[in-house]
């Protein structure tokens, strides 16, 4: 597997919410100790990224060279960390008071350490004029208890990839835009083709897509006191939606045991009509299943009556114990400014988090004969106007997902009524 494909998986996993349940690596190998004061007397900023070498080595070397030429008193030491090792390494470094100065994380995990006061409070370091250059909804994703702990960097958002041949066989002319429409299409697809409309996972440690669907359907997951709020008519309706699909045989049985990767496998095998995923998987499908790719088209992300769309955010944070806070902030803002975000978005097939970069014609105009990948860029960029982090920023979000998914499974298998499953899930969360 190439480094680029590994990076694309990182972006996708972030999109699916898997970073909220990273496994802590047993390895605590040396990432490199930060030399805070270079021999020249210049401040050294140690900057950690997640598995962006070697595909983006030239990009970052050029960016760092430009930054150092504009800031003669600052040197940047770039360290690239394997994505699976990042959580363990940053926890170890923060605990030992030897953290890097700028580190690439995501709001889900970073917020857990923000609750322990690990990061620099950026509200006093980033002027309002600079802060307003970022998309407001995206900036909020790196806030906890009213304080900003991170600066947004690059973004990904889901879309609907679909098989035009199978859709035609099913006699469906319009791609479902909502979950309600999807349920109707699923029955027609099964009746006419024998195939499944789509696959979604209910494995507790895997994708958060089902929990996000709750929010899109109008469910409030957690109240202001942190208690379960999904034990409501809307919550019961969302539970009932997924239970009905499963009991009617409109979801593959392995939805209870297989993760999101299985959704891609089924789509590539021509066994499902729709795939909810990031545009980075279009190239994967083209490589693995050229005939399916040829029949594939794209549509906006499925949503509920709220119209909400999901977005996954990658950000940069600055450890509170950095010895060079001003230099670290200066570099973090340079890394994420309009020009550099636009350049990285083009290089990595992701979306930028600044207003100006996102308004570039690159995200608005594609030729009439554009490829599916190029069209996806425009669709996902447009979705950002309605996009937000759908699930709440919580220290133990994985426990919420586990409570909901395990009780959903019990209801799907007929072991509990929907009402009992909802009640038990809420109780498990409240008594955790």
């Amino acid at each position: 597997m190439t480094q680029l494909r590994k990076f694309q998986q990182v972006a996708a996993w972030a999109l699916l919410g898997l970073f909220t349940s990273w496994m802590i690596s047993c390895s605590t190998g040396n990432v490199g100790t930060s030399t805070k004061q270079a021999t020249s007397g210049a401040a050294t900023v140690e900057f950690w990224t997640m598995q962006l070498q070697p595909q983006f080595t030239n990009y970052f070397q050029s960016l760092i060279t430009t930054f150092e030429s504009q800031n003669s008193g600052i040197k940047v030491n770039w360290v690239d960390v394997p994505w699976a090792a990042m959580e363990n390494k940053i926890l170890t470094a923060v605990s030992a008071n030897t953290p890097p100065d700028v580190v690439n994380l995501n709001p889900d995990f970073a917020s857990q350490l923000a609750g322990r006061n690990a990061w620099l409070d950026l509200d006093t370091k980033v002027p309002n004029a600079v802060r307003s250059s970022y998309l407001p909804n995206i900036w909020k994703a790196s806030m906890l208890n009213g304080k900003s702990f991170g600066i947004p960097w690059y973004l990904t958002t889901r879309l609907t990839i679909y098989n035009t041949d199978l859709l035609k066989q099913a006699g469906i002319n319009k791609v479902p835009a909502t979950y309600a429409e999807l349920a109707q299409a699923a029955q027609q697809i099964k009746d006419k083709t024998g195939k499944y409309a789509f696959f979604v996972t209910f494995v507790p440690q895997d994708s958060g897509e089902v929990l996000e669907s709750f929010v899109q359907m109008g469910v409030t997951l957690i109240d202001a006191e942190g208690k379960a709020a999904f034990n409501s008519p809307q919550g019961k309706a969302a539970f009932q939606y997924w239970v009905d699909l499963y009991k009617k045989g409109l979801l593959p049985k392995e939805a209870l045991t297989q993760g999101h990767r299985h959704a891609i496998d089924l789509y590539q095998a021509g066994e499902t009509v729709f795939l909810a995923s990031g545009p980075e998987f279009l190239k994967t499908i083209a490589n693995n299943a050229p005939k399916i790719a040829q029949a594939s088209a794209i549509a906006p992300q499925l949503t509920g009556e709220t119209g909400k769309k999901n977005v996954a955010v990658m950000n940069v944070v600055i450890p509170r114990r950095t010895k060079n806070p001003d230099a670290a902030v200066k570099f973090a803002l340079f890394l994420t400014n309009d020009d550099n975000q636009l350049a990285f978005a083009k290089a990595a097939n992701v979306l930028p988090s600044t207003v100006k970069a996102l308004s570039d014609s690159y995200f608005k105009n594609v030729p009439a004969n554009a490829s599916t990948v190029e069209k996806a860029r425009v669709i996902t960029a447009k979705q950002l106007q309605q996009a937000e982090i759908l699930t709440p920023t919580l220290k133990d979000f994985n426990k919420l997902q586990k409570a909901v998914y395990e009780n959903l499974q019990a209801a799907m298998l007929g072991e509990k009524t929907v009402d009992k499953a909802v009640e038990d899930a809420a109780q498990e969360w409240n008594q955790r």
Side-chain angles (χ1 to χ4, degrees):
M1 182 182 288
T2 65
Q3 289 294 323
L4 177 58
R5 280 183 65 193
K6 285 180 182 176
F7 165 76
Q8 289 171 336
Q9 280 191 330
V10 170
W13 283 323
L15 171 64
L16 298 170
L18 294 183
F19 279 160
T20 59
S21 55
W22 274 340
M23 285 196 305
I24 297 181
S25 167
C26 293
S27 164
T28 58
N30 279 332
V31 180
T33 54
S34 174
T35 306
K36 298 297 182 183
Q37 205 69 24
T39 52
S40 63
T44 298
V45 170
E46 183 156 313
F47 167 48
W48 288 9
T49 55
M50 280 194 287
Q51 203 153 319
L52 298 183
Q53 291 180 2
Q55 185 64 34
F56 302 103
T57 297
N58 290 341
Y59 171 84
F60 285 105
Q61 285 178 341
S62 174
L63 180 140
I64 289 167
T65 298
T66 303
F67 176 78
E68 289 178 344
S69 70
Q70 295 175 8
N71 299 274
S72 58
I74 306 173
K75 295 293 179 185
V76 177
N77 177 30
W78 175 34
V79 178
D80 195 54
V81 181
W83 72 266
M86 178 61 94
E87 180 174 344
N88 190 44
K89 291 188 184 299
I90 191 62
L91 284 171
T92 301
V94 167
S95 299
N97 291 333
T98 58
D101 300 286
V102 178
V103 57
N104 163 211
L105 294 174
N106 75 339
D108 290 331
F109 175 64
S111 65
Q112 296 179 37
L113 288 179
R116 301 181 211 169
N117 200 26
W119 312 128
L120 196 66
D121 179 359
L122 296 172
D123 291 325
T124 59
K125 294 287 184 181
V126 180
N128 283 335
V130 175
R131 175 171 165 169
S132 65
S133 66
Y134 299 86
L135 296 164
N137 266 2
I138 305 304
W139 184 277
K140 287 177 190 171
S142 295
M143 292 182 72
L144 187 67
N145 300 325
K147 291 184 177 180
S148 304
F149 62 81
I151 298 170
W153 191 10
Y154 62 91
L155 315 171
T156 55
T157 181
R158 276 197 304 267
L159 43 69
T160 301
I161 303 170
Y162 65 96
N163 186 315
T164 56
D165 290 344
L166 286 178
L167 204 64
K168 189 176 179 181
Q169 283 179 37
I172 296 172
N173 301 317
K174 180 178 175 289
V175 179
T178 65
Y179 285 105
E181 291 174 5
L182 178 64
Q184 292 179 335
Q187 188 67 63
Q188 191 170 333
I189 287 165
K190 195 73 186 290
D191 293 344
K192 295 285 182 69
T193 71
K195 308 278 187 181
Y196 291 104
F198 70 116
F199 175 92
V200 66
T201 180
F202 296 86
V203 174
Q205 300 80 22
D206 209 272
S207 166
E209 186 182 345
V210 169
L211 263 190
E212 291 180 340
S213 78
F214 277 36
V215 178
Q216 291 173 314
M217 293 176 189
V219 179
T220 301
L221 294 175
I222 302 296
D223 66 21
E225 282 74 47
K227 298 290 187 182
F230 57 83
N231 192 354
S232 63
Q234 294 90 343
K236 289 175 183 177
F239 262 70
Q240 193 72 56
Y241 175 87
W242 292 111
V243 169
D244 286 348
L245 279 177
Y246 186 82
K247 286 188 171 181
K248 288 176 182 175
L250 301 180
L251 281 174
K253 290 195 183 303
E254 60 269 28
L256 307 190
T257 56
Q258 297 282 330
H260 179 76
R261 180 69 225 184
H262 192 60
I264 298 156
D265 294 339
L266 287 176
Y267 184 81
Q268 290 180 159
E271 294 299 321
T272 52
V273 178
F274 305 108
L275 173 65
S277 202
E280 61 274 5
F281 277 111
L282 288 166
K283 288 183 179 178
T284 304
I285 296 165
N287 290 334
N288 296 343
K291 287 186 178 178
I292 298 295
Q294 200 171 359
S296 292
I298 52 174
Q301 181 185 140
L302 275 167
T303 187
E305 55 269 28
T306 64
K308 291 180 176 181
K309 305 282 174 67
N310 108 303
V311 62
V313 179
M314 296 300 272
N315 64 0
V316 289
V317 296
I318 298 164
R320 188 169 56 88
R321 293 190 179 274
T322 173
K323 292 183 173 59
N324 297 304
D326 292 338
V329 170
K330 187 173 281 192
F331 177 69
L333 291 176
F334 180 79
L335 171 73
T336 61
N337 71 19
D338 294 317
D339 292 343
N340 290 326
Q341 285 229 34
L342 181 59
F344 187 67
K346 289 180 178 180
N349 190 28
V350 291
L351 298 170
S353 62
T354 68
V355 177
K356 186 178 177 184
L358 189 63
S359 66
D360 190 88
S361 60
Y362 178 74
F363 299 105
K364 294 183 176 179
N365 305 323
V366 290
N369 62 345
S371 67
T372 309
V373 172
E374 289 175 312
K375 290 175 183 173
R377 182 171 73 231
V378 174
I379 289 176
T380 54
K382 188 176 181 181
Q383 280 184 178
L384 282 186
Q385 309 307 323
Q386 304 161 288
E388 60 187 272
I389 300 280
L390 294 177
T391 51
T393 303
L394 299 166
K395 181 183 174 183
D396 40 10
F397 176 82
N398 56 328
K399 292 181 181 178
L400 175 65
Q401 183 166 310
K402 184 173 185 286
V404 171
Y405 281 27
E406 286 182 348
N407 282 284
L408 256 175
Q409 287 203 22
M412 289 169 164
L413 295 170
E415 296 167 359
K416 295 181 181 182
T417 64
V418 165
D419 283 1
K420 178 65 172 165
V422 174
E423 184 184 328
D424 287 353
Q427 193 170 14
E428 280 176 39
W429 170 254
N430 292 337
Q431 294 179 355
R432 69 193 182 285

